[in-house]
Amino acid sequence: MPAAGPTRGASARSKRADAVRNQQTLLDAAAEVFVTSGIDAPIRQIAARAGVGLGTLYRHFPTRADLVTAVYHHQIEACAEAGPKLLADAASPFDALRQWVGLFADFLVTKHGLADALQSDSDRFATLHAHFLDRLMPVCAQLLDAAVDAGEIAPGTRPYELMRGIGNLCIGHDSDPRYDPRRLIELLLRGLRLP
Amino acid sequence: MPAAGPTRGASARSKRADAVRNQQTLLDAAAEVFVTSGIDAPIRQIAARAGVGLGTLYRHFPTRADLVTAVYHHQIEACAEAGPKLLADAASPFDALRQWVGLFADFLVTKHGLADALQSDSDRFATLHAHFLDRLMPVCAQLLDAAVDAGEIAPGTRPYELMRGIGNLCIGHDSDPRYDPRRLIELLLRGLRLP
DNA sequence: ATCGTAAATGGAACAAGGATCCGCTTTCAG
DNA sequence: CTGAAAGCGGATCCTTGTTCCATTTACGAT
C-alpha cells in the first residue's frame, strides 16, 4: 500500500497542502458533530465547526454519504477484518457468525443514526450503502457459507438480506429503552439455526 | 360509539359544515398523494390537490403524523380487530400470531414509507407511533400470551419489542428486490418458537 | 526570489419544504 | 337579518441543501 504521506515527488501538482489540511480538519469536525448532533446534522454546522466555507466542504465531500464514509472508514475496515479472524478463532462457524453479527450491530448502534442512514429510503446515502456492502457483504457471506458447510444452519439465507435485516433492527435503538435490537438479533440467529 | 354524522343538535356551535367538508376533502387528497408520492410528500402538494390553502391543512392536521394517522385509521382498526378473530379461528395460538404478524407486515409494506415513518428517529411522527402502539400493542400482547400459555413459545418476549422489530424489518422493502422482509420475519418467528 | 496559473476557498445566492400569522370570508345561532 | 366566532388562504419567514464564481493561495517553473 502506497504511503499516504507527503509523497513530494508525485507527477504534476500533487496536492496542495492547505487542501490536505482542510480535508483532515473537516473530517475531525464532522466526527465531533456526528457524535453530538447525529449523522444528519446540518452541513453548515460541520463547515462552521471546521472553520471553512460551505464550498470547501462540498469540494472535499460532494455528498453527505462521502463524508460519513470517510469518517467511519477505519471502523468499517476493522469490522471487515474481524470476520476471518473470528472464523479462525471461534469454537464453531456459527459462533463466529454470532460474534461478528454482534460486532456489526455494535458498530451501527454506537453511531447515532448510522443504521437509519444506511437504510434511508432515498438514495441520499447510496455511496455509503454501496461501500458498506462492498466491504462487508463478502465477509458475511464467508461466515454464512462456513456455517452452512458445518451443517449448523440451513442454506438459502443470503448475506445481503441478513445484513440488511440486522441493520434494520438496529434502527432507532436509542429512542426507547424498551427496545433492544440485540435480543431480536439473537432470535433471528436462533431462527437460522438448524434443529 | 357516537355517530360521526351531522349531529345537528349539539351544544354551542357544533362544527361548521365547510370545515367538515374540507377535512374530508383533505383526507381524500392525502390518501391519493400518499399512494403516488409516498408518505413524505410535500404538505403543499396535498393542500393543492385538495384545493385548499396551507393554513386550512395545518388547522385540521397540525402535524403530518395527524394526517397519516387519520388516513390509515380504518386499516389500523382492521388489523386490531383481526387479532382476536385469528386467535379464535386459527389452528393454534402460534399460528394465529404468525398470521397476525403477516397482516401487520403487509399493512406496513403496502403503504409506501409507512414503516420508515413509524421508526423515524426524530419525533416528527410521535403521534402516529403512539396511536399504533395504543391500538395494536394490546392485540399483539394477547397473541403472545396465548402462545406462551399454549407452551409454543418461551415467555419473555415483549410485545413492544416484537412489533418494533417487525416494523423495522419492513423498512425500505421496496428499495432492493433482494430484500424481502417476510423471510426475515419468518426467521424471527422460528427463533421465538420453543424447541 | 518572483511570477503565472491552476487549485482552492468562502460565502452569497438560489431552491425546496415546513411552519406561522393575519386580514378576509363564511356560517349559523339568536 | 345580523354580528361575531369559526374557518380560510396564501403571503411570509425559517431552516437546510446546493450551486456558482470572484478572490485568494500555494507552488513549480524560471
Side-chain angles (χ1 to χ4, degrees), chain B residues 16 18 22 52-56 60:
Chain B
R16 277 175 49 169
D18 57 344
N22 269 335
V52 307
L54 267 178
T56 304
H60 287 293

Side-chain angles (χ1 to χ4, degrees), chain A residues 53-71:
Chain A
L54 270 177
T56 304
L57 176 40
Y58 272 101
R59 163 177 301 266
H60 287 291
F61 306 101
T63 74
R64 182 185 296 270
D66 294 328
L67 187 52
V68 175
T69 306
V71 167

